[in-house]
Amino acid sequence: MSARPTERYVQPTLDELGTPLSHVTFTVVDLETTGIASDASAITEIGAVKVRGGEILGEFSTLVNPGEPISPRISAMTGITDAMVADAPPIAAVLPSFLEFAAGSTWVAHNAPFDVGFLRAACESAGQPWPRPAVVDTVVLARRLLDRSEVPNRRLGTLARHFGAAVTPNHRALDDAKATVDVLHALLERLGGHYVVTDVDLAEFQRAIPAEEQRRKRHLAEGLPQAPGVYIFRDAADKPLYIGTSVNIAGRVRGYFTGSEKRTRMRHMLRLAERVETIECAHRVEAQVRELRLISGTKPPFNRKSKYPERLSWLRLTNEAFPRLSVVRTPPEAGAHWLGPFTSRRLAEETRDAVLEAVPIRQCTTKLSVRSTSPACALAELGCLAPCQHRVDVDEYGEVVARLGTAIAGDPSTVVAALQSRIGDLAARERFESAAELRRALRTFLHTVTRTQRLRAFIDAGELVAAERAPHGGWDVAVIRHGQLAAADTTPARTNPMQAIQALRSSAATIPATDAQLAGVRAAEAELLLSWLERPEVRLVHADVGWSMPTRSAGSYHALLDRLRDADVAAGVARY
């Protein structure tokens, strides 16, 4: 018998493990040029910022004489003229200093092939050896880490606004490099959730995943049920990586291991996946609800939508003698006047500002007393009711608040009419940009009031039972209580479904009737169920109380909302 071969265990080297990203030195570079082709254009400015661990280590900035005229179009865009670069050094004189500044670091650029391509061409023409740096492209990272529901595009200006960069990009090299630094840091924070913690991980995350590597994991799709439900990809530590839903789990999961799956993000997820867990459901609607709940509860790194319901914003009237309209993250309590949810604080603030154009609610944050006056701010001279000075009493101020409450809960006409009048006045005075901003705010207000009123009516409806014809006979039934799914089942084909529906109602979960619970983390679930109920093929089987909307609710303004949306689309600023 031959001797059993000795097994060898090889410990990875430190180089193979990589350097933690907090210890990596990045040189973030941006160029201004005379054109877009590196073989036919020249560099006019170099700006770079060296950072490590979130700290700035140094800056590099210089104009460059391109040796050719700068076109008026480029000058208009960058602000760099022929006169500005006339006495600047040529690129051959600048390169040694820049290469010394960036030596030993990882280069970062937004649309790196452009900047790195120009620098490489400059090295070749100047006879400088190319340093072959590791390169990080923030465009690639943004494509893999940000969904279009977050940002409409991956331009530097868009990402800088989204992440709240300290410097606004302006087509000057150093400022654009500084903005890219903030974008880079924001993207690096997100990478932690994708198991990217070293420079080696980062390089792997950027590169395309070979199709054969994708196909090697096909065994994970074996033995899965051909039924509606939820599937969960889990890693070696059994942590959820991605949660999805399908009416045929087996068929959907198999699709991840074929050439039809082109998303690089999903290919990276498959590299980490070790098993697939499934949860069979009665029908598609139950699967979608379970998916929402699981995503918000576990926050898998490769899911993007519905992951952070706690980040939603709300507008609510504060509970005090002279209330104000406040932007909050905490879901409002039952009985309060509230608007929302908003997907961002900015939209909430725009809506608040639009409301304040129409209803003179105070804007200051001072705690006011009904017994003594408080110092007045500048707004007291600009149309504020100045309750701080007791120019109105609690009852008079309460009448104003009641108007706002009516606009939120019922007829929004007072706010709509005031805003339309203000928009018309601004347009007549040729202040078209201000009119367009207010028009967008009116649209946001109407959209949100409609959403809020639909949610309120749905929550207040108590128990609703609805059914839809199942694909293979019978009925897909859902019991909904106060805006949440309480039970789901599919009744047998060719039988009277009412007995099964009654049994389902008896066993359904008890859902407390509180706005705070339902309007917060369950807002997405309530809207999902509402969309299903409003489909023409879905039949309402039972309702505890009337499910209705006020006659003069925000929904009656759908034609105006459509016109506002069309105007925003034409202006290229559509949101919803």
Side-chain angles (χ1 to χ4, degrees):
M1 181 181 292
S2 62
R4 185 177 180 179
T6 302
E7 294 180 347
R8 299 181 61 195
Y9 298 91
V10 180
Q11 181 176 350
T13 66
L14 289 176
D15 288 340
E16 290 171 329
L17 293 173
T19 303
L21 291 176
S22 59
H23 296 167
V24 175
T25 300
F26 295 102
T27 296
V28 182
V29 61
D30 185 84
L31 306 180
E32 299 304 328
T33 65
T34 59
I36 61 173
S38 61
D39 59 350
S41 307
I43 297 170
T44 58
E45 188 175 34
I46 301 176
V49 182
K50 188 186 294 185
V51 294
R52 182 174 62 239
E55 294 186 12
I56 294 177
L57 305 179
E59 294 180 357
F60 181 97
S61 178
T62 182
L63 289 168
V64 179
N65 189 326
E68 61 183 58
I70 302 173
S71 72
R73 180 180 63 83
I74 296 295
S75 290
M77 181 174 65
T78 66
I80 300 173
T81 64
D82 288 332
M84 291 171 63
V85 299
D87 296 326
I91 189 63
V94 169
L95 270 177
S97 298
F98 171 75
L99 294 175
E100 181 182 356
F101 175 81
S105 66
T106 296
W107 294 13
V108 180
H110 196 73
N111 188 20
F114 175 86
D115 300 274
V116 174
F118 265 90
L119 289 169
R120 185 167 188 167
C123 283
E124 290 176 357
S125 65
Q128 284 278 354
W130 179 240
R132 301 179 63 84
V135 177
V136 172
D137 189 345
T138 48
V139 170
V140 172
L141 295 183
R143 284 174 182 159
R144 296 180 185 173
L145 293 169
L146 295 172
D147 190 76
R148 287 201 178 273
S149 62
E150 292 186 84
V151 291
N153 55 62
R154 278 75 175 187
R155 297 191 186 103
L156 180 58
T158 302
L159 296 176
R161 283 193 301 273
H162 180 71
F163 290 125
V167 177
T168 300
N170 57 9
H171 291 293
R172 291 303 300 269
L174 184 59
D175 281 348
D176 285 10
K178 289 178 178 179
T180 305
V181 167
D182 288 341
V183 170
L184 172 68
H185 287 157
L187 294 172
L188 291 180
E189 285 184 17
R190 294 201 175 197
L191 282 170
H194 291 258
Y195 303 84
V196 177
V197 295
T198 70
D199 56 349
V200 173
D201 297 335
L202 182 56
E204 286 291 304
F205 187 81
Q206 286 195 106
R207 76 179 184 88
I209 310 298
E212 56 270 19
E213 190 172 333
Q214 183 181 4
R215 288 192 291 268
R216 278 201 297 268
K217 292 283 185 87
R218 282 183 295 187
H219 66 277
L220 297 181
E222 295 174 0
L224 301 183
Q226 296 186 9
V230 178
Y231 54 89
I232 306 169
F233 284 93
R234 293 187 177 273
D235 66 8
D238 220 33
K239 293 179 181 178
L241 296 169
Y242 181 79
I243 298 174
T245 182
S246 176
V247 294
N248 184 335
I249 296 173
R252 179 66 191 95
V253 173
R254 278 197 300 270
Y256 286 94
F257 304 99
T258 67
S260 62
E261 181 51 76
K262 301 295 185 183
R263 294 172 295 175
T264 304
R265 175 173 59 98
M266 289 294 98
R267 290 185 175 186
H268 281 291
M269 183 274 295
L270 294 175
R271 170 181 288 171
L272 299 170
E274 292 296 330
R275 75 180 185 95
V276 179
E277 177 186 346
T278 62
I279 303 172
E280 291 189 51
C281 299
H283 46 68
R284 174 178 53 85
V285 175
E286 183 190 8
Q288 291 174 333
V289 168
R290 283 180 175 267
E291 178 192 34
L292 280 175
R293 293 177 182 179
L294 286 166
I295 290 172
S296 65
T298 61
K299 298 178 175 32
F302 290 90
N303 281 96
R304 289 175 172 172
K305 296 181 180 179
S306 309
K307 191 157 62 172
Y308 297 107
E310 66 273 13
R311 294 182 182 176
L312 297 173
S313 293
W314 310 80
L315 275 178
R316 56 157 294 175
L317 282 167
T318 57
N319 185 21
E320 51 188 319
F322 298 103
R324 57 188 175 82
L325 205 53
S326 178
V327 179
V328 297
R329 282 278 175 86
T330 305
E333 64 271 9
H337 286 304
W338 51 270
L339 269 174
F342 297 88
T343 54
S344 72
R345 184 179 181 88
R346 178 176 56 82
L347 287 177
E349 290 172 344
E350 285 184 7
T351 304
R352 178 193 61 194
D353 294 344
V355 170
L356 294 175
E357 288 270 358
V359 183
I361 299 292
R362 71 182 180 99
Q363 301 180 43
C364 63
T365 59
T366 307
K367 184 76 172 179
L368 301 183
S369 169
V370 296
R371 295 187 180 87
S372 58
T373 61
S374 302
C377 64
L379 294 172
E381 306 303 322
L382 298 174
C384 177
L385 296 175
C388 56
Q389 295 289 295
H390 290 182
R391 294 180 190 174
V392 291
D393 60 26
V394 172
D395 291 337
E396 291 171 321
Y397 191 85
E399 291 177 5
V400 177
V401 172
R403 291 210 313 268
L404 177 57
T406 299
I408 291 173
D411 184 358
S413 59
T414 55
V415 174
V416 173
L419 290 178
Q420 287 182 308
S421 175
R422 176 71 174 145
I423 291 168
D425 178 58
L426 290 169
R429 292 157 56 193
E430 298 187 355
R431 294 178 57 187
F432 300 118
E433 288 188 7
S434 297
E437 289 177 5
L438 199 56
R439 184 192 69 221
R440 289 193 291 273
L442 172 58
R443 179 187 169 199
T444 303
F445 169 76
L446 272 176
H447 175 87
T448 308
V449 172
T450 302
R451 186 181 189 185
T452 301
Q453 290 179 354
R454 289 174 75 241
L455 277 172
R456 279 186 179 275
F458 189 43
I459 290 166
D460 293 341
E463 181 185 271
L464 299 171
V465 182
E468 179 182 16
R469 279 285 186 188
H472 304 294
W475 293 86
D476 290 337
V477 182
V479 178
I480 301 165
R481 290 178 174 166
H482 299 295
Q484 295 183 55
L485 184 67
D489 201 2
T490 298
T491 66
R494 295 182 295 277
T495 62
N496 186 335
M498 293 311 297
Q499 185 175 354
I501 290 174
Q502 189 57 45
L504 189 64
R505 290 180 59 201
S506 300
S507 62
T510 301
I511 306 294
T514 59
D515 280 1
Q517 182 181 11
L518 294 168
V521 298
R522 297 305 185 196
E525 179 176 332
E527 291 189 312
L528 185 155
L529 293 170
L530 263 172
S531 297
W532 177 66
L533 285 168
E534 291 172 346
R535 293 174 56 181
E537 59 267 30
V538 176
R539 301 186 187 183
L540 192 60
V541 178
H542 170 81
D544 272 353
V545 295
W547 177 26
S548 61
M549 295 279 286
T551 304
R552 290 293 299 168
S553 67
S556 62
Y557 285 91
H558 64 87
L560 172 61
L561 193 55
D562 287 343
R563 291 200 301 274
L564 294 171
R565 184 184 296 110
D566 291 343
D568 281 352
V569 169
V573 292
R575 289 190 182 123
Y576 306 111

